[in-house]
Amino acid sequence: MTALPVFSEAWAAACAARINGSEAYRAAAAGWEGVVFLRMAGNSGEIQRGVLLDLWHGECRSARAADGDGEAAARYVLSGTAGAWRQVLTAQIPPLMAIITGKIRLTRGSLLELVPYVNAAQELVRVIASIQADFPPAQ
């Protein structure tokens, strides 16, 4: 299978399919809901790429590539550089650790709301990491 450009429309569709096919994610996220915008930012903070995931009680109701409109629609916004996202989305660093260390910033939403769902976040990353992805070079 050819690697999909991370945060592209094709990558977002693959994420939705894998998330919805994962019983482990469904179980881990059964009590959680929220629209999440994952934002890949350049060194000066501008959006390079983004993806919007509508996650609802263990399923992905929709996923699409997005730009600034994704941010406005999201309950949670997570932002990081290409290098940081590579580390998280290839399961080199757990998502909560990436937030705590500042590699990924939670720019909208409450970390306290997310903490009870650490297992769901880890399972989400495990599922997404199974997609062969092409990351832009780190800046």
Side-chain angles (χ1 to χ4, degrees):
M1 176 181 217
T2 303
L4 301 171
V6 73
F7 291 14
S8 67
E9 197 64 44
W11 184 85
C15 286
R18 295 276 173 97
I19 291 166
N20 289 333
S22 171
E23 288 302 320
Y25 175 74
R26 187 178 313 283
W32 189 77
E33 61 191 59
V35 176
V36 178
F37 181 64
L38 306 178
R39 172 214 247 207
M40 186 179 299
N43 288 336
S44 58
E46 77 283 359
I47 297 174
Q48 289 183 323
R49 300 180 186 186
V51 70
L52 194 66
L53 302 171
D54 183 357
L55 304 172
W56 183 263
H57 299 274
E59 92 176 58
C60 182
R61 297 194 296 190
S62 68
R64 67 177 175 87
D67 50 24
D69 70 318
E71 216 164 323
R75 180 172 178 182
Y76 302 98
V77 175
L78 296 153
S79 182
T81 63
W85 281 119
R86 179 188 302 268
Q87 288 184 316
V88 172
L89 297 177
T90 59
Q92 294 175 29
I93 183 172
L96 184 60
M97 184 60 67
I99 293 170
I100 290 170
T101 60
K103 289 183 182 292
I104 300 293
R105 292 180 314 124
L106 180 65
T107 60
R108 177 179 292 158
S110 165
L111 185 58
L112 290 176
E113 286 179 25
L114 295 177
V115 168
Y117 302 103
V118 168
N119 290 340
Q122 289 176 330
E123 192 57 35
L124 180 67
V125 167
R126 188 192 67 72
V127 169
I128 291 173
S130 71
I131 299 166
Q132 191 174 354
D134 180 28
F135 289 84
Q139 296 180 357

